[in-house]
Amino acid sequence: MSFEYAIIVKSKTRLETLIERFNTKAQAKFYIERLGGSFEEYEIEDEIFKNALNALQTQLSKVIKNKTIDRHYVSSYIFSKKNIIVVIGQDGLVANTAKYSDNLPIIAVNPDTERYDGILLPFNITNFIQGVENVLTNNYNSKIMSFAEATLNDGQRLLAFNDLFIGASTHVSARYKITFKDKIEQQSSSGIIVSTSAGSTGWLSSIFNMANGVTSMFEKNSTLKQPKLKENDLFFAVREPFKSLKTQTEMTAGIIRNNTLTIESFMPNNGIIFSDGIEKDFLNFNSGAIATIGIAKETANIVEKSWL
């Protein structure tokens, strides 16, 4: 395949977001410092990112034509088969971009290795161009990663690179019926998390951290081990399930493997399904809606640092 354009995907820095909120940098600084915060941290972070972005654009321009788009436009941007995607930012930006990438190669660049863990960011500013050149010559290794998928009975669907949340959009209990492996329960909870293998170090891990913290108060040497998911596995966990005359708590976790999870909403309003922590990227999930959760047919193509 002949690639003609690189699409750089970035997010606004925290400083840029503050300036949008307060109109000017001076007003943003006044607000933060009046509350006792350090504005310098925002300035340093912003400068490092912009220097990294400039270095990336400069190097990339010597190899392939490119243009830069903001995260906000990714969901509506139509990628061409002749595009490669270069993501510069945090792990969440890779997850958000991958859902709309149509399996195009993604080169994920960590702009600030001192601040960001970069689990999904194998490249940095000093070595990413080698990855780009190898993609252009079709001489690269990549990891093909699966998505979770929520499909509603009206045909709407939503993909998730890391995880899906199914529940209420406000701080109230979600009410629903859950069906898994021929077992059925009515439940009331804080919602359900469905994690992919890629997302298992994120939101899902915090659920296990909480469970282990509570358990250790009563059983000092007891540790709940988080399972290692295979690429096409999904893990669901019910958050804070409540037992009552009408709701049960026997089915609070499970591995979705070669099967699906079905959830029927009993919420007259405020029911929601969103993915990868992006609440603006959602499906309404109110009474009458039935969601089927499983592995999607789409995949993400994440270029690896180790090249041929």
Side-chain angles (χ1 to χ4, degrees), residues 165-176 189-192 239 265 267 269-274 279 285-286:
F165 172 82
I166 303 100
S169 61
T170 56
H171 192 62
V172 296
S173 293
R175 297 293 298 269
Y176 53 87
S189 74
S190 296
I192 302 172
R239 304 192 316 159
S265 176
M267 295 173 281
N269 52 41
N270 295 322
I272 192 172
I273 301 175
F274 66 79
E279 294 188 41
F285 188 57
N286 298 318

Side-chain angles (χ1 to χ4, degrees), residues 38-51:
S38 172
F39 193 71
E40 184 181 13
E41 171 64 19
Y42 295 93
E43 292 178 305
I44 293 172
E45 179 186 79
D46 181 76
E47 182 180 6
I48 290 173
F49 177 80
K50 288 181 176 176
N51 287 340

